């Protein structure tokens, strides 16, 4: 198979600025292209290297050749469109290798004085040569898009491709694979799609991803009815999402693409639900100098600036760098809310040897938000309040500050036998400070009473260290070529969470229809409602292996397993005084050792474009905070289960268009079910008792997805998901916020001929109903059931771009163009119903040099 309103002072950490600014200065000094010396180029061309490039599309073969040889290759896409190469095996110099790859294609390689190879059709050799090769003058004409293929392009980089799909991903195997080589559903949000949609954070990127529901703005994402609790960076060991005070706030200006694999990911993600795993791939330095700047202005005084500078830092191009600066400042559609976000990213890349690549980098981001928006309550019978869309039950004194710092290092070495060693390590640290307020509680339809003002001072921190080391490569057995991956990873999460509730919190009522600001008793706290969680975290150590067997040219068998050890620690303390003195209330420590998580799949190539597959993944999720009786209780056994998937995948139009149809079935057993023999002692994040491990949950459905180029100038990314989840124990829907039907579409079209300066497009999300049910407990212990439904709805966005000059473009994005009223997040009658934004617009001027 071919691989395919109040403003605050801005501060940045002083320890971070010198290196980042030095990198930016160095980059700005490298705007003029640096050329490879002719002597170095000749030496490189003369040296022989071992190649093993399979037959396939010529474009893919050249990409692989450039990666293996460490070359810069340049060609117009139409030069190689529709052509195939017979491949290349054995030891060759650059010149002889290129000649062999191009044999019979009608394309020739011409080396330029700076060492760059350019390509041209031999039939056109008598006219004007391509890319500046010596030739007779030709009539002036507009040039086709030129794409520079450098060392990095063969690992899936989407920047500069203009595509809404990708041919290469590493999310499922930590090695570069085509989408057809992965027996699970994978979606990619490319750099072009993020640029077109003006995506600035990970939440917005996931909102475009087929099959994914963004539940709220605090890092809760769902796929196939289950929460996604793992997020990789550059394919390394996963960061832990969910309850560990970590809210993903990644600035998307730092990233090349977002990859999402739906289904169980226990092989590489460790513990977790079968929703899937997210992989954010950072931008890396380019082999050519480039400066990208954009200025945006939009609704509610929204202003944003981005500066992205990259290129080689020495004449040999063996050291490359990149610096990205983003700054965003905006008011909000919601009352009392405004936001400011400064962000900075720097990365260096060095070729220690022709086969060894070292990458180091760091990023810093800060969110400074005035106001606090936690959504709205409802009437106690479930009806919506009918308040204006900009209503937010906040106060002028409330704020939310979130700071995120990351440092990372990666080392990759390719051996002569095509085996590769990779080391990926990251350190992520977040700090959150918040003075919060909310008016929450069900509203009595007759008296309009019920909601109470709640608030306090909250601070938390989260530190995650992750390391991944793996070795992969091909081997021969029984006359066939196969692949093996072996690896070790480590994840450690340490966090704390502390809240001091104001003395009059939950004691002052508010009228939701005649809202008056609340002024709490600042500096005085209700210690009975205040608590601290620390230390609080988990640690995972795992070893994994994946074997890819190729019994025939068409049949591919994948078998893998993970052996992991898991530890969980949590201490809950009561806060005794305003000085922060604490007294431990409970402490839990839990360990699961030597758990095996198997994985397997079979892929059969129906022809050169289509493959059929089946796969199996196991599920392993500890539930240490759910206790079995009697009190104080002991932790329940982990949730276990199985995930099955089958489907077909296609690579069409020489890989420019990908298509997937898949059906899935998930079965999860051992979920905690309330044990009615004991009095319930629930706790938000603490140990809760008492439960039995008897719950069974299923999720079934299918995905249809198409992404890439439908025709010349027309890009599309579309996906439809049908999903039914069931709680077999309770005989009801398991995930009611997961719609049965979910359709997402993004598209863009460059007009032909004289109108080619114009580009039009848009996106939309269409989903069926979501519903919530529960019980309201009233005075005297009486209870009243409630249920409500958000009907199915559709939200549509439009985009218009105009290329002012070769290096400048102007774009207009209008979101929710039909001004649809809906809830972005469906909560309960108590709170959490977050209204979606109405119609809004953004104008962006962008220049690339």
């Amino acid at each position: 198979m071919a691989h395919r309103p109040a403003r605050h002072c801005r501060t940045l950490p002083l320890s971070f600025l010198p290196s980042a600014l030095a990198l930016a200065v160095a980059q700005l000094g490298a705007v003029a292209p640096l050329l490879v010396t002719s002597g170095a180029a000749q030496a490189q061309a003369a040296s022989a290297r071992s190649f093993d490039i399979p037959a396939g599309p010529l474009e893919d073969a050249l990409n692989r050749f450039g990666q293996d040889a460490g070359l810069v290759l340049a060609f117009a896409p139409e030069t190689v469109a529709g052509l195939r190469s017979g491949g290349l095996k054995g030891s060759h110099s650059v010149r002889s290798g290129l000649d062999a790859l191009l044999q019979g294609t009608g394309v020739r390689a011409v080396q330029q004085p700076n060492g760059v190879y350019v390509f041209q059709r031999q039939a056109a050799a008598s006219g004007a040569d391509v890319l500046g090769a010596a030739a007779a003058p030709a009539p002036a004409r507009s040039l086709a898009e030129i794409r520079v293929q450098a060392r990095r392009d063969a690992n899936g980089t989407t920047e500069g491709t203009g595509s809404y799909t990708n041919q290469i991903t590493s999310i499922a195997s930590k090695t570069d694979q085509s989408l057809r080589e992965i027996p699970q559903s994978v979606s990619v949000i490319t750099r072009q799609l993020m640029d077109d949609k003006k995506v600035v954070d990970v939440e917005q990127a996931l909102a475009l991803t087929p099959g994914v529901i963004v539940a709220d703005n605090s890092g809760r994402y769902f796929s196939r009815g289950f929460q996604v609790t793992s997020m990789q960076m550059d394919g390394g060991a996963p960061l832990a999402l969910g309850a560990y005070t970590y809210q993903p706030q990644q600035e998307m200006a730092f990233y090349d693409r977002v990859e999402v694999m739906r289904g169980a990911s226990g092989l590489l993600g460790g513990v977790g639900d079968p929703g899937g795993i997210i992989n954010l791939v950072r931008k890396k330095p380019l082999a050519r100098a480039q400066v990208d700047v954009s200025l945006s202005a939009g609704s509610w005084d929204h202003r944003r600036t981005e500066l992205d500078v990259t290129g080689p830092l020495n004449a040999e191009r063996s050291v490359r760098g990149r610096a990205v600066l983003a700054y965003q400042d905006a008011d909000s559609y919601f009352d009392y809310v405004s936001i400011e976000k400064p962000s900075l990213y720097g990365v260096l890349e060095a070729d220690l040897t022709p086969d060894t690549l070292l990458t180091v980098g760091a990023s810093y981001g800060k969110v400074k938000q005035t106001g606090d928006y936690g959504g709205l309550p409802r009437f106690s019978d479930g009806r919506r309040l009918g308040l204006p869309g900009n209503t937010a039950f906040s106060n002028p004194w409330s704020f939310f500050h979130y700071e995120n710092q990351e440092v990372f290092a990666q080392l990759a070495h390719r051996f002569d036998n095509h085996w590769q060693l990779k080391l990926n390590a990251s350190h992520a640290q977040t700090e959150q400070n918040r003075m919060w307020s909310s008016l929450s509680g069900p509203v009595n339809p007759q008296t309009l009473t019920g909601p109470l003002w709640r608030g306090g001072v909250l601070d938390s921190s989260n530190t995650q260290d992750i390391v991944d080391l793996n070795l992969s490569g091909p081997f021969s057995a029984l006359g066939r070529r196969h692949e093996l991956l072996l690896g070790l990873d480590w994840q450690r999460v340490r966090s704390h969470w502390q809240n001091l509730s104001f003395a009059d919190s939950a004691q002052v009522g508010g009228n939701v229809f005649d809202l008056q600001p609340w002024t709490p008793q600042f500096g005085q706290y209700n210690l009975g409602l205040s608590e601290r969680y620390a230390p609080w975290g988990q640690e995972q150590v795992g070893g994994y292996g994946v074997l890819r067997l190729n019994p025939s040219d068409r049949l591919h068998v994948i078998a893998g397993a993970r052996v992991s050890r898991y530890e969980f620690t949590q201490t809950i303390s009561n806060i005794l005084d305003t000085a922060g003195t604490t007294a431990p209330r409970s402490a839990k420590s839990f360990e699961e050792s030597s758990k095996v998580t198997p994985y397997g799949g079979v892929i059969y190539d129906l022809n050169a474009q289509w493959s059929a597959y089946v796969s199996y993944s196991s599920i392993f999720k500890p539930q240490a905070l759910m206790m079995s009786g009697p009190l104080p209780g002991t932790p329940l056994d982990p949730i276990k289960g199985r995930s099955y998937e089958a489907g077909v995948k296609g690579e069409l139009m020489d890989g420019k268009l990908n298509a997937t149809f898949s059906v899935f079935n998930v079965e999860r057993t051992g979920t905690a079910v309330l044990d009615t023999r004991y009095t319930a002692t629930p706790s938000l994040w603490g140990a809760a008792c008492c439960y039995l491990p008897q719950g069974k949950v299923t999720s079934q459905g299918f995905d249809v997805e198409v992404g890439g180029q439908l025709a010349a100038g027309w890009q599309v990314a579309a996906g439809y998901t049908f999903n039914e989840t069931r709680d077999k124990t309770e005989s009801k829907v398991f995930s009611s916020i997961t719609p049965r039907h979910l359709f997402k579409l993004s598209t863009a079209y460059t007009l032909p001929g004289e109108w080619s300066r114009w580009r039009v497009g848009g996106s939309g999300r269409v989903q069926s109903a979501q519903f919530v049910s529960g019980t309201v407990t009233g005075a005297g212990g009486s209870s009243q059931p409630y249920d409500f439904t958000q009907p199915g709805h559709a939200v549509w966005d439009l985009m218009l771009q105009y290329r002012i000059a070769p290096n400048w473009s102007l774009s207009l994005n209008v979101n929710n163009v039909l001004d649809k009223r809906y809830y972005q997040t469906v909560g309960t009658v108590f709170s959490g119903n977050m209204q979606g934004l109405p119609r809004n617009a953004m104008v962006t001027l962008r220049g690339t040099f």
Side-chain angles (χ1 to χ4, degrees):
M1 185 183 303
H3 286 273
R4 298 280 179 231
R7 306 298 180 201
H8 303 277
C9 295
R10 295 93 158 158
T11 60
L12 296 176
L14 296 179
S15 61
F16 180 80
L17 285 175
S19 59
L21 291 177
L23 174 59
V25 170
Q27 295 287 11
L28 289 171
V31 171
L34 298 177
L35 304 180
V36 179
T37 62
S38 59
Q42 293 171 0
Q44 184 186 40
S47 62
R49 298 178 61 89
S50 178
F51 296 94
D52 186 9
I53 302 175
L58 179 57
E59 183 177 359
D60 292 351
L62 290 174
N63 286 342
R64 179 71 174 270
F65 185 89
Q67 178 192 31
D68 291 349
L71 285 176
V72 177
L73 307 179
F75 52 85
E78 61 267 23
T79 302
V80 298
L83 300 179
R84 295 183 64 83
S85 169
L88 181 67
K89 296 184 183 295
S91 180
H92 296 270
S93 67
V94 169
R95 181 75 265 174
S96 67
L98 281 174
D99 290 343
L101 272 181
L102 298 172
Q103 185 175 3
T105 65
V107 176
R108 63 170 178 164
V110 179
Q111 186 176 15
Q112 304 300 293
N114 61 0
V116 174
Y117 283 88
V118 299
F119 300 82
Q120 56 188 220
R121 297 253 188 179
Q122 291 179 343
S126 60
D129 284 352
V130 186
L131 298 176
R141 59 185 178 91
S142 61
L143 294 177
E145 175 190 3
I146 301 299
R147 182 173 57 183
V148 176
Q149 302 290 345
R151 173 176 185 163
R152 299 211 55 84
D153 287 352
N155 69 358
T157 298
T158 67
E159 180 181 10
T161 66
S163 178
Y164 278 14
T165 192
N166 199 18
Q167 296 185 11
I168 299 294
T169 179
S170 61
I171 188 171
S173 62
K174 298 185 183 291
T175 59
D176 298 334
Q177 305 286 343
S178 72
L179 298 184
R180 282 177 61 189
E181 293 176 294
I182 302 171
Q184 285 181 265
S185 299
V186 176
S187 298
V188 181
I189 305 300
T190 66
R191 185 67 256 170
Q192 184 64 55
L193 179 52
M194 289 192 285
D195 288 341
D196 287 348
K197 283 289 298 173
K198 301 300 178 284
V199 169
V200 300
D201 58 42
V202 65
E203 176 185 322
Q204 293 176 347
L206 293 174
L208 296 173
T209 306
V212 174
I213 291 293
V214 178
D216 54 34
N217 58 1
S218 60
R220 294 198 310 134
Y221 316 122
F222 289 81
S223 172
R224 299 184 176 178
F226 302 97
Q227 186 172 357
V228 178
T229 57
S230 295
M231 184 171 71
Q232 295 176 314
M233 310 294 288
D234 293 334
L239 293 168
L241 306 182
Y244 292 101
T245 69
Y246 184 84
Q247 297 184 20
Q249 298 283 351
Q250 277 77 10
E251 166 61 61
M252 284 296 103
F254 302 165
Y255 295 89
D256 174 77
R257 63 191 182 276
V258 179
E259 302 171 336
V260 178
M261 185 182 75
R262 295 182 292 278
S265 59
L267 177 65
L268 302 177
V271 302
D273 268 325
I277 191 169
I278 303 165
N279 184 35
L280 303 185
V281 182
R282 300 180 179 97
K283 287 181 177 178
K284 300 302 192 303
L286 300 180
R288 64 189 185 280
Q290 176 180 288
V291 177
D292 195 308
V293 60
S294 67
L295 303 172
S296 301
S299 301
W300 312 303
D301 201 21
H302 189 132
R303 300 178 298 273
R304 180 178 172 86
T305 301
E306 292 183 20
L307 176 64
D308 184 341
V309 186
T310 184
L313 299 180
N314 61 351
E316 292 75 22
R317 305 191 185 207
S318 60
V319 180
R320 300 165 294 278
R322 190 163 198 162
V324 182
L325 172 67
Y327 177 79
Q328 180 175 322
D329 191 12
D331 290 333
S332 172
Y333 170 70
F334 299 108
D335 295 339
Y336 301 114
V337 178
S338 65
I339 191 169
E340 180 184 12
K341 293 175 62 177
S343 304
L344 187 61
Y345 169 69
V347 58
L348 288 171
E349 195 176 68
D351 298 325
L352 302 183
T353 72
D355 298 304
T356 307
L357 177 66
L358 175 66
T359 305
V360 295
S363 65
Y364 170 83
K366 190 167 189 176
V367 178
K368 302 184 69 174
Q369 176 180 303
T370 61
D372 196 11
Y373 181 47
L376 306 179
R378 302 176 74 103
F379 285 114
S380 57
D381 57 9
R383 289 182 293 125
R384 62 184 298 171
L385 300 177
L387 294 170
N390 62 337
T391 303
F393 294 158
S394 185
N395 286 280
W397 47 262
S398 61
F399 65 85
F400 169 84
H401 292 174
Y402 190 89
E403 193 172 43
N404 178 36
Q405 299 183 63
E406 294 181 4
V407 294
F408 65 93
Q410 300 163 7
L411 183 68
H413 177 77
R414 183 183 295 273
F415 299 95
D416 289 338
N417 59 359
H418 299 288
W419 279 69
Q420 184 166 262
L421 181 69
K422 290 183 180 180
L423 175 65
N424 190 335
S426 294
H427 171 83
Q429 183 173 345
T430 65
E431 299 283 344
Q432 178 184 159
N433 296 285
R434 180 182 173 196
M435 188 174 287
W436 64 279
S437 67
S438 70
L439 182 60
S440 57
V443 180
N444 186 299
Q446 284 75 42
T447 65
L448 303 184
T449 60
L452 299 174
W453 281 109
R454 295 173 170 85
V457 178
L458 184 151
D459 69 87
S460 66
S461 67
N462 181 286
T463 300
Q464 301 202 32
D465 296 294
I466 52 178
V467 179
D468 183 273
L469 176 67
N470 63 73
L471 178 68
S472 62
F475 67 95
S476 297
L478 301 177
R480 306 292 303 178
R481 192 174 181 84
H482 316 283
E483 298 177 18
L484 177 64
L485 167 72
L486 297 172
L488 298 170
D489 61 19
W490 172 70
Q491 174 204 79
R492 184 180 65 186
V493 184
R494 293 291 181 265
S495 64
H496 96 276
W497 182 94
Q498 175 177 293
N499 177 66
L500 287 168
S501 293
F502 294 129
D504 52 350
S505 179
Q507 298 181 20
V508 179
N511 186 339
V512 298
F513 298 102
D514 184 19
L515 192 64
Q516 301 296 324
W518 172 48
T519 302
Q521 299 176 9
F522 294 110
Q524 300 181 42
Y525 302 102
N526 184 340
L527 300 181
L529 298 178
S530 303
E531 55 189 358
R532 176 182 175 88
Y533 291 72
W536 182 30
Q538 71 180 27
E539 184 171 351
Q540 291 189 74
V541 178
Y544 56 87
V546 180
L547 180 63
R548 304 179 65 92
L549 300 174
N550 301 299
S552 71
D553 290 341
R554 292 192 173 192
L555 181 62
H556 315 279
V557 179
I558 304 167
R562 175 185 177 88
V563 180
S564 57
R565 177 177 59 84
Y566 172 84
E567 294 181 358
F568 174 86
T569 302
Q570 174 177 275
T571 298
I572 307 176
S573 301
N574 293 325
I575 299 177
L576 301 181
D577 53 44
T578 57
T581 306
T582 61
R585 188 174 77 207
S586 68
K588 298 295 179 184
S589 181
F590 177 76
E591 179 177 342
E592 287 280 355
S593 59
S594 302
K595 296 296 181 181
V596 178
T597 306
Y599 168 84
V602 177
I603 304 172
Y604 184 77
D605 296 338
L606 302 175
N607 54 37
Q609 294 180 318
W610 291 94
S611 299
Y613 72 89
V614 295
S615 66
Y616 163 86
S617 303
S618 61
I619 300 165
F620 170 68
K621 181 185 179 182
Q623 47 184 350
L625 292 181
M626 311 305 288
M627 317 296 287
S628 62
L631 289 170
T634 56
L636 293 183
D637 291 336
I639 297 171
K640 296 181 180 181
R642 299 170 296 276
S643 175
Y644 302 94
E645 185 172 327
V648 293
K649 291 187 178 185
E651 286 183 355
L652 312 175
M653 300 182 66
D654 291 328
K656 295 182 177 63
L657 180 68
N658 287 301
T660 301
F661 173 81
S662 61
V663 294
F664 58 87
N665 180 65
V666 179
E667 298 176 358
R668 203 186 71 171
T669 59
T671 305
V673 175
L674 191 65
D675 188 344
T676 57
R677 297 174 299 173
Y678 303 95
T679 301
T681 60
S683 177
L684 181 60
W685 292 312
C689 199
C690 297
Y691 295 89
L692 296 171
Q694 295 179 343
K696 182 176 181 179
V697 174
T698 63
S699 175
Q700 299 172 331
F702 64 88
D703 290 311
V704 182
E705 184 174 357
V706 176
Q709 180 176 294
L710 285 180
W714 186 10
Q715 293 290 327
V716 66
Y720 167 75
T721 299
F722 173 80
N723 192 187
E724 284 190 328
T725 65
R726 296 293 299 173
D727 182 336
K728 295 292 187 178
T729 304
E730 301 291 335
S731 297
K732 64 180 182 179
V733 172
F734 170 67
S735 177
S736 62
I737 66 169
T738 298
R740 295 183 69 196
H741 306 279
L742 177 62
F743 173 72
K744 296 183 181 182
L745 169 69
S746 298
T747 187
Y749 179 65
T750 302
L751 300 182
E754 296 181 357
W755 293 88
S756 61
R757 289 175 177 263
W758 292 92
R759 195 161 177 260
V760 296
S763 63
R765 184 185 75 253
V766 182
Q767 67 178 64
S768 58
Q770 299 167 295
F771 66 91
V772 176
S773 61
T775 301
V776 176
T777 302
S782 62
S783 62
Q784 174 187 346
Y786 70 86
D787 64 81
F788 63 88
T789 298
Q790 169 161 261
H793 61 276
V795 180
W796 299 99
D797 308 328
L798 293 179
M799 176 197 72
L800 180 65
Q801 294 182 3
Y802 179 70
R803 182 163 50 86
I804 304 171
N807 296 330
W808 289 97
S809 65
L810 185 67
S811 63
L812 170 66
N813 291 78
V814 182
N815 301 317
N816 195 0
V817 66
L818 300 180
D819 206 20
K820 179 69 178 178
R821 289 288 300 273
Y822 69 100
Y823 286 110
Q824 171 193 329
T825 301
V826 180
T828 68
V829 296
F830 293 86
S831 187
N833 299 283
M834 306 181 70
Q835 302 192 70
L837 293 178
R839 183 188 300 117
N840 60 92
M842 177 78 71
V843 176
T844 301
L845 177 66
R846 180 179 179 182
T848 303
F849 311 94

